[in-house]
Amino acid sequence: MPAGNAHRILNTIKDADHALADPGAGKIIQTMEDLQVCELVTVAAEARTLANPTKVGNRLTLRMKTDGGDCTVTAANGLNVAGNTQAVFADVGDQLELISVSHTTGFRWEVLVNTGSVSLS
């Protein structure tokens, strides 16, 4: 960042587009940036795969926007210290806030906040 612009970093972050498009049924949610929000839209019971993060400290929010059926999101390296790999979003407003952390095989997601009725298994 050029000298003199460091004081604008919070405004730059605030003004950035944080929307991450829902890839749709059977597809991969791939995040490369911090502070992204993926709003899930289903038309039936559907599944998504959440790609493993590539570094520590990225935050991601997954939220059920439109409930046409449950949405099961699978994260291969897990979503918590218990080793749960699946999150089921059943109702509009169900939301997980995640942060990427180091893991024995690279990086994984860790649930910070579970709002609504998201079940983990």
Side-chain angles (χ1 to χ4, degrees):
M1 176 174 295
N5 289 333
H7 69 282
R8 295 199 35 81
I9 189 69
L10 293 178
N11 283 330
T12 300
I13 292 169
K14 175 188 70 71
D15 292 341
D17 182 8
H18 298 284
L20 176 63
D22 178 4
K27 304 274 175 71
I28 298 172
I29 300 169
Q30 183 76 43
T31 178
M32 296 300 227
E33 299 178 27
D34 192 21
L35 301 172
Q36 291 189 295
V37 178
C38 182
E39 295 188 304
L40 305 168
V41 175
T42 61
V43 295
E46 298 176 357
R48 314 275 191 279
T49 300
L50 178 57
N52 291 327
T54 57
K55 64 182 179 179
V56 170
N58 278 356
R59 289 166 291 169
L60 170 66
T61 299
L62 298 174
R63 178 180 173 272
M64 175 73 89
K65 178 180 178 181
T66 305
D67 179 9
D70 290 358
C71 185
T72 301
V73 177
T74 302
N77 280 349
L79 293 164
N80 54 24
V81 294
N84 295 127
T85 58
Q86 291 190 325
V88 179
F89 296 77
D91 300 309
V92 169
D94 282 357
Q95 178 174 298
L96 287 182
E97 294 180 34
L98 307 166
I99 190 165
S100 58
V101 297
S102 61
H103 185 264
T104 56
T105 61
F107 305 98
R108 70 172 175 81
W109 294 105
E110 177 79 25
V111 174
L112 291 172
V113 178
N114 182 342
T115 303
S117 60
V118 180
S119 64
L120 301 174
S121 61

